[in-house]
Amino acid sequence: MATVFELTEHFPTGTTFSWDFGEPTAPGDKKNTATGVHQYCTPGTYTVKVTIQSPVANTPPLVLTERVIIGQLPYIYLGKDTSEVKKTICLGQELVLNAFQKVGRPSYPIEVLWYPKGQTTDTIKVRESGCYSVKITEPQSGCTVEAKMQIEICGERDPDQVLNRVAPAWYIGTGGGFKWESGPDNPTPTTGRINVPNGVAVMTDPTNSIIYYTDGQKVFDRDNNPITYTKDPTELINGDISNSQGVTTMPKTSCKGCQSEYYIFTLKKNAANENQIYYSIVDMKLNKGKGGLSVINQLLSPVPSTERLVASQGGSGFYWLISQDANSNTIRTFKVSDAGISAPTITNPSGSTALTNSAGNTKISVDWAKMAVVVPAPPTNKIDLFDFDATGKGTPTFLTSIDLGQSSKIIYGVEYSQDKKVLYVSLQGDGTNNNKSQILQFDISTNDSKKIMDSQKLLFETDSKIGALQIDPIYNTIIFVAILGSPDLGKITNTNGLLSNDDPLKQAKYEPKAATFVTDVTSNLGLPPSIPSPPNPSSPPTIKQSCEGTTFIHKVDKKLCDPMNNDKIVWRIYNSTLIPLYDPKTGLQLIAEPNKLEFGPYEGQELKYDFKKSGAGKYVITATISNVCVKDFMLDPQEFDVELLEPLELKTEYNTICKSDLKVSLTSIPPQKTINYEWSNGEKGKPEAIVKNPGGVIEVEVSDTKSGCSIKKKTNVNFLWNQYSLPQPNQIICVDNKIPLTIYPRGTTKDFLFEWKDDINIIGNKPFTSSTIQVKDKGEYIVNVTDAFGCGPFQTSILVEDKCDPAILVPTIFTPNGDKSNDTFFPIPKNSVRTQIVGVQIFNRWGEMLFFKETNLSSAELAWDGKFNGQLVPPDTYAWVVQYKSVDFPEKGILTQRGAVVVAY
C-alpha cells in the first residue's frame, strides 16, 4: 500500500510543495500538495524531504525532513479467504484462529498481539462470541497488518445487550460519579478516581457502556483500575485540567481489526501560556486485554488554541476533532479515520465571533448536525450558532449570533434540546443576591436573532455557580446540570417544551436534586460528553413491517445464525407497548401489558394480520426462531405503530370531452396527520393532482410516515373528443318484428349526463335522461350530452330507419293428387315488400334436378306441380334450393336457403 505523509499545518493559497521520497517517484504519487503519497516497493530506511515555498515574494523556502523505515509484512486473514470475516458456531464448539494459516510466518522478527485478551501466540482457541483480531508488527519500522474475525454463538444473546453490559456511567466531581442502570433520568451514585475542576471525558462502546474515563492526565477503566503508559507507568498524559473542555476522546478506527484503540486529545500550555493540541492512544489489547497507553503526548497542532476540544461523530467509520484558534474565529476540524488524523480543515465562518476568553463550552447536538459556541464576556456574552456538516467535510456554517449584552455574569454551559429547536445556556454569577447564576432558555426554531432574543426565558437561578449542561447518555432526553460544590446534579426535563407555552404540563422543568452523589462527594463544573465506538457490523435479526391495506406483514429480515436457516418462526402480537426495563433472566425488553395477547401463537416464515377489527395504535410483535443449533430463541420484542390507511377511495375512471386538464382526487382519505401523497405525474403532498392531456393511467402512493405503511391506488383519466360518447349516428329498427330498438353510447357512460328530446316513440317515463333509450318506430331522435365537469351540452340527432332482413316461407309437405288442395310446392316471401324470390330448384335423393325456375316470376309461376318429364314423382322426400334477395338491403346480393319437402298422395 502507499505511504501517506501529512503536514499538520495549514498553508495559504498559492503555496507550492516539492516532495522527495528518497527514491524515484511512481505514477500516481502526490508531489505538489500538502499531502505526500508514495508507493515503496522495497523495505529499507529512507529520508523524506518536502520543500515548502510560500506565495509571498522573497520568502525563503521551508525544508522539512523525516526519516522513515519501510518494512514488509505478509497479508494475513483469519477466514478461508479474504471475504470471510464472520463465523457462526454452536454453543460449546471450539474454534482455532491462526494468524498464519494461509501464509508462512516471516523469518525476520515480528510481534503478534491478539484482541481482546492480548495473547502473543500465533494461534488462539475461541469458544466465546465477539470480535477477535490479530495485529502483526515489524518492530524496526513499526509497520503493522491486521486481520479480524467476528465469532457468533448461535442462540447466544449479544454480549453488548443489556443483560451483560456495563451500565452507562459518568465519573465526575471530587471522586464520584453516576451509573444509569434503569431509565434516562434516574442515575445511581458510584465512586470514581478523578478530581478535576472542569473537563472530563468518557469512552463508551456501541451500547453506551463505559470502556474508560479520563481527566486528561490519568485514565481509568470501568472498574476504576488505572490504564497506564506501557513504557513508563509513572508517566502521565500532559493535559491541563484547568481548561474548561481540555480533554476529549474518540475511537481510533481500523479497517482490518476490532475496535481496540482510542485517541485521547488534550491541551497543554507551552512556555508562552498558549494551549497546544496533543494526542495519546489507549490500546485495549495491551496488558492481557486490560488496556494500556501505547502512545502518549504526541503534538498534533502547535497553533495556539482555545481551551475547548470537541468530538463529533462523522460518517461511516470516521470522526471529527473540533478546535478553535485562540483570539480568533478560526475553526479547525481534524478528520480522524482508519487512515489516521488528517491535516485540519480551516474555516473562518463569516459573522462568527472571535474567542478572546476561551473558558466555557462548545457543544454539538445529539444528531451531530448543529454546533453552539458560547462566547464569554468581555465585552459581551454571546452564543454563536452553526450548522455542522458531520457526514461531509466537517465544516461549520454560521447561522446567527445571540448577543446577551454586557453582564456581570459569565456564560459557561450550553446544550441543545432533543429536537434541536430549544437551547439552554448557563450563566455564572458571583453568588450575591443581585448576581445569581442562571439557566436561560431560547427558542432557536428560526435563525432570526431578534426572535431568538425575544424568546429568552429564565428557567432557574441560584446563588451557586452553574457549570456544564449535558444531555443524558441513554435516550438523549434529560439535560443534567453541574453546580459547583453541590452534592447533587440538577436536571431539565421535557427539554423540547418552551416556557412560553400556556400549558404548564408542556413546559420544560428544572429539578434541583435529580441525582445525589455518594457521601462527601460534590460536583465540579464539568460533565462528560460521550461518543460511542463504531457499531458492530453484525447485528441480530429484526422484524420489518409493511402493509397491504389494513393487513400488515411482518418478516424477520435475515437468518438468526447465518448460514443456518430459520427453520421455524412463531409469532405473537400484543396490544401493548414496551417499557425501558429488561428481564434480568433473558435481557429482553419488557412488554408493558403482556396479558394483552392480540393474536398468536402463529407459525410461519411471515406474519400477516388484518388490524381492521383491532384498530390503529401501538402493538408489540415478537418472533421466536428455531434452527439446527437453538430452539425457541426470542428476538427482541419490537414496538410498531399501526396506522390504518382507510378510508381510502379513488374513482377508477375520469372522463371529459372538452377539458385540457383535469383535477383528480381521493374521495375519502385517512384521518391521521402523518399521511403523505405522491402522484405518478410528480405532484406531492396533497390528496389531489392536476392531470394534463393526454392523461392515461395515474397512480397515487399514500404513505403513513409514522408506521411506514403505504398503499397505491390507480385511476384512468380519459380526454375524449366531443363525439366520443354520443350515441351511434345510424340505427335500424325492423317495425315488422315489433321489438324495441335500444340506442346506446359508443363509448363509456361514466361522468356523462344525457337528456333526450321528448318523442312518442320512446318507451318509458319522462324525462328521458338515461344513457340508453328504447324506441318502437323509425324516426329522428335528439340527445344532449354534458360531462360531469360542465363541458357541453353537445347535441346530436340519431336517425332510425325501418329495415328488416329478408325472409321466405316454404311448405314442408304437399300432395299433387289433383284434388285442388295443396297440389303444388311454392315458396313465398314473408313480406313481399322486404323479400323477392328469384329462383327455385328441386332435387331427388340421388341429386338429379327435377325442377328449375330462375326469373322474376310470380309465386304461382315458381310453383312445382310434383311432375318430372310430365309424370308425377313417386312419394318421397325431395330437396329444394330457393334463391332470393333483400329489398331493404340490396347490398347483401342473392341469398340462398335450402331445405326438404315431402311428396305424399
Side-chain angles (χ1 to χ4, degrees):
M1 296 178 64
T3 303
V4 180
F5 302 94
E6 291 272 10
L7 293 172
T8 59
E9 286 305 305
H10 177 72
F11 296 91
T13 303
T15 302
T16 59
F17 305 88
S18 177
W19 289 89
D20 181 350
F21 301 107
E23 68 173 15
T25 57
D29 285 353
K30 291 185 180 179
K31 298 180 292 181
N32 298 316
T33 66
T35 301
V37 178
H38 178 65
Q39 175 73 57
Y40 288 99
C41 298
T42 306
T45 302
Y46 300 88
T47 298
V48 178
K49 180 174 69 174
V50 59
T51 302
I52 305 168
Q53 181 61 61
S54 170
V56 179
N58 302 319
T59 302
L62 173 65
V63 179
L64 302 176
T65 60
E66 183 77 23
R67 183 172 173 267
V68 297
I69 300 173
I70 303 299
Q72 185 176 23
L73 288 169
Y75 186 80
I76 60 173
Y77 49 95
L78 299 177
K80 65 179 183 293
D81 53 40
T82 56
S83 64
E84 186 182 38
V85 293
K86 184 186 78 169
K87 286 184 181 290
T88 302
I89 60 177
C90 294
L91 184 65
Q93 184 178 349
E94 186 175 78
L95 185 67
V96 176
L97 297 179
N98 185 350
F100 304 104
Q101 64 167 339
K102 298 295 183 181
V103 296
R105 196 182 203 278
S107 58
Y108 47 86
I110 58 168
E111 296 173 353
V112 180
L113 187 61
W114 290 86
Y115 176 83
K117 295 187 177 180
Q119 301 98 318
T120 58
T121 55
D122 291 355
T123 63
I124 62 170
K125 295 179 180 179
V126 298
R127 299 170 63 92
E128 299 174 350
S129 60
C131 185
Y132 294 83
S133 67
V134 60
K135 178 188 282 187
I136 310 300
T137 304
E138 197 279 307
Q140 185 180 13
S141 66
C143 288
T144 62
V145 291
E146 284 189 279
K148 71 177 177 180
M149 178 63 69
Q150 186 74 31
I151 302 299
E152 295 183 358
I153 307 297
C154 183
E156 180 185 66
R157 293 287 171 190
D158 187 334
D160 287 333
Q161 285 188 358
V162 175
L163 181 63
N164 298 315
R165 76 182 187 185
V166 178
W170 287 350
Y171 291 94
I172 51 178
T174 56
F178 293 95
K179 291 184 178 180
W180 277 264
E181 296 174 319
S182 56
D185 59 349
N186 295 302
T188 55
T190 186
T191 57
R193 296 186 62 179
I194 61 172
N195 183 359
V196 59
N198 290 289
V200 288
V202 60
M203 190 66 241
T204 58
D205 67 16
T207 69
N208 255 328
S209 301
I210 189 169
I211 301 173
Y212 62 82
Y213 62 96
T214 179
D215 59 6
Q217 293 183 349
K218 297 177 182 179
V219 186
F220 300 94
D221 67 15
R222 60 181 59 171
D223 298 317
N224 287 326
N225 298 313
I227 295 176
T228 58
Y229 185 36
T230 54
K231 295 181 180 179
D232 183 358
T234 64
E235 188 172 355
L236 301 179
I237 299 175
N238 62 5
D240 183 346
I241 62 174
S242 68
N243 288 317
S244 56
Q245 281 183 297
V247 59
T248 193
T249 186
M250 66 181 67
K252 181 180 184 292
T253 56
S254 170
C255 63
K256 293 292 186 181
C258 304
Q259 185 56 57
S260 59
E261 293 183 287
Y262 306 87
Y263 286 108
I264 295 176
F265 295 98
T266 55
L267 293 169
K268 177 189 176 185
K269 289 184 173 62
N270 60 15
N273 203 37
E274 298 168 333
N275 283 312
Q276 296 175 317
I277 305 175
Y278 288 78
Y279 71 87
S280 301
I281 296 176
V282 176
D283 188 344
M284 296 305 295
K285 297 189 295 295
L286 302 177
N287 192 22
K288 297 183 179 180
K290 296 180 180 180
L293 288 163
S294 60
V295 174
I296 65 170
N297 304 333
Q298 296 295 302
L299 180 64
L300 175 62
S301 175
V303 177
S305 174
T306 62
E307 56 182 79
R308 306 179 195 177
L309 292 175
V310 181
S312 169
Q313 194 163 355
S316 176
F318 68 88
Y319 299 83
W320 298 106
L321 174 69
I322 307 165
S323 69
Q324 187 162 341
D325 290 357
N327 302 311
S328 170
N329 72 337
T330 298
I331 297 175
R332 295 173 183 264
T333 51
F334 300 82
K335 187 175 184 179
V336 182
S337 65
D338 53 23
I341 307 172
S342 72
T345 298
I346 311 297
T347 54
N348 299 91
S350 176
S352 63
T353 311
L355 278 177
T356 55
N357 177 0
S358 63
N361 287 178
T362 293
K363 191 61 65 71
I364 299 286
S365 61
V366 294
D367 64 350
W368 320 106
K370 299 286 185 181
M371 185 171 76
V373 179
V374 301
V375 184
T380 62
N381 288 311
K382 298 174 68 176
I383 309 110
D384 283 355
L385 301 180
F386 300 83
D387 280 336
F388 185 69
D389 181 20
T391 59
K393 297 181 180 180
T395 52
T397 301
F398 179 72
L399 299 175
T400 191
S401 186
I402 310 171
D403 193 339
L404 302 181
Q406 292 182 340
S407 172
S408 56
K409 298 178 177 64
I410 300 296
I411 193 169
Y412 188 88
V414 64
E415 184 59 282
Y416 287 92
S417 64
Q418 185 183 28
D419 65 2
K420 303 177 299 179
K421 296 180 180 179
V422 183
L423 194 73
Y424 295 88
V425 177
S426 66
L427 293 117
Q428 297 176 344
D430 59 12
T432 65
N433 289 334
N434 295 325
N435 192 20
K436 294 177 179 289
S437 296
Q438 296 176 329
I439 298 177
L440 303 180
Q441 182 196 71
F442 296 91
D443 180 354
I444 58 169
S445 57
T446 70
N447 294 328
D448 187 320
S449 59
K450 184 179 185 305
K451 289 183 178 179
I452 295 174
M453 279 299 302
D454 291 343
S455 73
Q456 175 183 321
K457 297 292 182 181
L458 175 64
L459 175 66
F460 169 70
E461 63 181 1
T462 178
D463 292 335
S464 301
K465 183 177 287 188
I466 302 176
L469 310 177
Q470 178 59 46
I471 206 158
D472 76 85
I474 300 181
Y475 295 111
N476 304 135
T477 57
I478 309 297
I479 296 176
F480 286 89
V481 180
I483 299 179
L484 184 63
S486 173
D488 309 292
L489 292 181
K491 71 177 178 182
I492 305 170
T493 58
N494 192 25
T495 62
N496 298 338
L498 293 172
L499 296 174
S500 59
N501 196 307
D502 293 334
D503 185 352
L505 296 177
K506 295 181 180 180
Q507 297 175 359
K509 181 181 179 182
Y510 178 79
E511 298 180 26
K513 294 183 179 294
T516 301
F517 289 96
V518 295
T519 304
D520 298 328
V521 172
T522 56
S523 175
N524 285 328
L525 294 176
L527 293 175
S530 60
I531 185 167
S533 299
N536 190 323
S538 176
S539 58
T542 58
I543 301 170
K544 302 298 183 183
Q545 175 176 278
S546 59
C547 73
E548 298 171 355
T550 59
T551 299
F552 281 68
I553 301 99
H554 295 88
K555 297 180 181 180
V556 174
D557 64 349
K558 62 182 179 181
K559 299 172 183 176
L560 172 65
C561 307
D562 192 27
M564 306 171 196
N565 290 325
N566 297 332
D567 297 325
K568 175 183 175 183
I569 305 178
V570 177
W571 301 87
R572 290 175 175 84
I573 305 175
Y574 295 87
N575 193 346
S576 180
T577 59
L578 293 173
I579 56 177
L581 296 176
Y582 299 84
D583 187 324
K585 295 182 179 180
T586 64
L588 296 174
Q589 194 169 355
L590 295 178
I591 302 172
E593 298 175 281
N595 59 318
K596 288 191 175 181
L597 181 64
E598 177 75 18
F599 178 72
Y602 169 78
E603 182 179 335
Q605 288 298 307
E606 67 177 23
L607 171 67
K608 280 190 175 183
Y609 186 72
D610 191 340
F611 284 89
K612 188 170 185 177
K613 182 178 180 181
S614 304
K618 290 185 179 294
Y619 292 83
V620 173
I621 311 292
T622 67
T624 303
I625 301 176
S626 299
N627 61 24
V628 296
C629 255
V630 296
K631 182 180 180 181
D632 298 333
F633 180 94
M634 182 180 285
L635 301 183
D636 288 333
Q638 290 179 233
E639 184 179 295
F640 291 95
D641 285 300
V642 171
E643 298 291 341
L644 303 182
L645 291 178
E646 62 172 23
L648 187 66
E649 294 180 9
L650 179 66
K651 285 176 57 176
T652 58
E653 188 176 2
Y654 284 82
N655 300 281
T656 181
I657 49 179
C658 69
K659 283 183 171 290
S660 59
D661 58 56
L662 196 63
K663 182 171 77 172
V664 301
S665 61
L666 291 158
T667 54
S668 297
I669 59 175
Q672 51 263 39
K673 296 181 180 180
T674 53
I675 299 298
N676 185 53
Y677 305 91
E678 188 163 348
W679 296 84
S680 58
N681 68 344
E683 295 198 33
K684 297 180 181 180
K686 295 182 179 180
E688 60 188 33
I690 301 298
V691 180
K692 296 183 180 299
N693 197 357
V697 176
I698 302 297
E699 184 176 72
V700 59
E701 182 174 11
V702 183
S703 58
D704 176 42
T705 56
K706 187 176 181 180
S707 68
C709 181
S710 65
I711 296 178
K712 292 182 179 180
K713 293 282 187 178
K714 291 182 180 180
T715 186
N716 199 18
V717 181
N718 300 310
F719 291 92
L720 307 173
W721 59 92
N722 295 345
Q723 298 296 318
Y724 179 82
S725 290
L726 302 183
Q728 299 283 357
N730 297 314
Q731 303 283 310
I732 295 173
I733 187 172
C734 180
V735 177
D736 295 354
N737 295 336
K738 300 188 182 301
I739 299 174
L741 169 68
T742 299
I743 302 176
Y744 53 89
R746 69 179 71 180
T748 181
T749 62
K750 290 185 178 180
D751 296 324
F752 293 103
L753 304 175
F754 296 84
E755 185 178 359
W756 297 85
K757 184 178 179 180
D758 189 12
D759 192 293
I760 60 173
N761 289 317
I762 299 178
I763 300 172
N765 297 322
K766 302 175 183 178
F768 306 117
T769 57
S770 173
S771 59
T772 61
I773 60 169
Q774 286 188 318
V775 299
K776 58 186 178 181
D777 204 350
K778 65 182 179 179
E780 185 179 26
Y781 299 90
I782 299 173
V783 64
N784 288 321
V785 181
T786 306
D787 72 17
F789 310 100
C791 291
F794 296 100
Q795 187 182 90
T796 189
S797 61
I798 297 91
L799 181 63
V800 177
E801 300 178 85
D802 178 19
K803 291 185 177 183
C804 297
D805 286 326
I808 58 173
L809 299 175
V810 183
T812 58
I813 186 172
F814 76 103
T815 56
N817 53 12
D819 62 0
K820 297 183 180 180
S821 174
N822 197 25
D823 283 341
T824 59
F825 166 84
F826 59 94
I828 62 174
K830 189 174 182 181
N831 186 328
S832 60
V833 177
R834 313 289 190 184
T835 309
Q836 181 180 4
I837 299 175
V838 297
V840 177
Q841 301 163 35
I842 305 295
F843 300 88
N844 62 20
R845 67 176 56 248
W846 295 280
E848 184 180 5
M849 183 182 294
L850 307 180
F851 177 81
F852 172 71
K853 287 291 180 70
E854 187 175 36
T855 181
N856 292 328
L857 302 177
S858 65
S859 298
E861 293 175 301
L862 293 173
W864 178 43
D865 59 3
K867 295 180 180 180
F868 177 64
N869 292 331
Q871 300 293 322
L872 289 171
V873 297
D876 203 347
T877 299
Y878 295 86
W880 55 263
V881 177
V882 176
Q883 287 88 26
Y884 60 98
K885 60 184 180 180
S886 172
V887 175
D888 291 337
F889 302 100
E891 66 274 11
K892 292 185 178 182
I894 301 299
L895 304 174
T896 300
Q897 186 171 329
R898 290 178 170 82
V901 63
V902 174
V903 175
Y905 296 99

